[in-house]
């Protein structure tokens, strides 16, 4: 597969706890994909895309490394993206 729905990626990669939370985050326009505001949960994401969003008072910037096929354990989920933000929460 060369792309995946944004909400499925966020849920499979364990960035959010439920797919409903992923859909809400996307539809409220709180995510940026390659610098552009996303307001659709079904927006496609691809390997190499950069996601940025605020969550729990911190801005996170993630680069998609692989598209997960399932919602696996946390160690497996973290292998699908790399964090581009520093420990302080700033890019």
């Amino acid at each position: 597969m060369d792309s995946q729905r944004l909400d499925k990626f966020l849920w499979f990669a364990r960035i959010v706890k439920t797919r409903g939370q992923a859909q809400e985050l996307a539809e409220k326009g709180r995510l940026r994909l390659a610098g552009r505001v996303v307001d659709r949960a079904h927006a496609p994401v691809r390997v190499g895309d950069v996601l940025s969003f605020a969550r729990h008072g911190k801005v996170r910037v993630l680069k998609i490394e692989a598209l997960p096929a399932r919602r696996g354990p946390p160690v497996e989920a973290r292998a699908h993206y790399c964090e581009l933000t520093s420990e302080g929460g700033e890019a």
Side-chain angles (χ1 to χ4, degrees):
M1 100 183 101
D2 60 338
S3 69
Q4 186 172 57
R5 285 178 56 115
L6 174 61
D7 59 337
K8 283 180 79 171
F9 175 80
L10 293 171
W11 184 55
F12 283 176
R14 294 185 169 268
I15 294 165
V16 293
K17 289 186 179 185
T18 67
R19 189 156 169 203
Q21 285 177 339
Q23 291 169 340
E24 182 180 334
L25 188 65
E27 291 171 355
K28 286 189 174 182
R30 303 209 174 177
L31 285 164
R32 289 183 179 265
L33 179 61
R36 301 181 75 176
V37 175
V38 176
D39 60 358
R40 304 173 297 142
H42 64 275
V45 295
R46 294 172 178 78
V47 172
D49 283 350
V50 176
L51 287 173
S52 56
F53 56 95
R55 191 107 170 114
H56 303 297
K58 295 181 182 177
V59 174
R60 293 183 71 186
V61 180
L62 310 175
K63 181 176 180 185
I64 299 173
E65 298 288 325
L67 297 175
R70 67 185 187 110
R71 182 174 167 93
V75 172
E76 181 182 313
R78 281 190 295 273
H80 294 101
Y81 63 89
C82 70
E83 190 89 36
L84 299 178
T85 47
S86 65
E87 288 296 318
E90 297 180 20

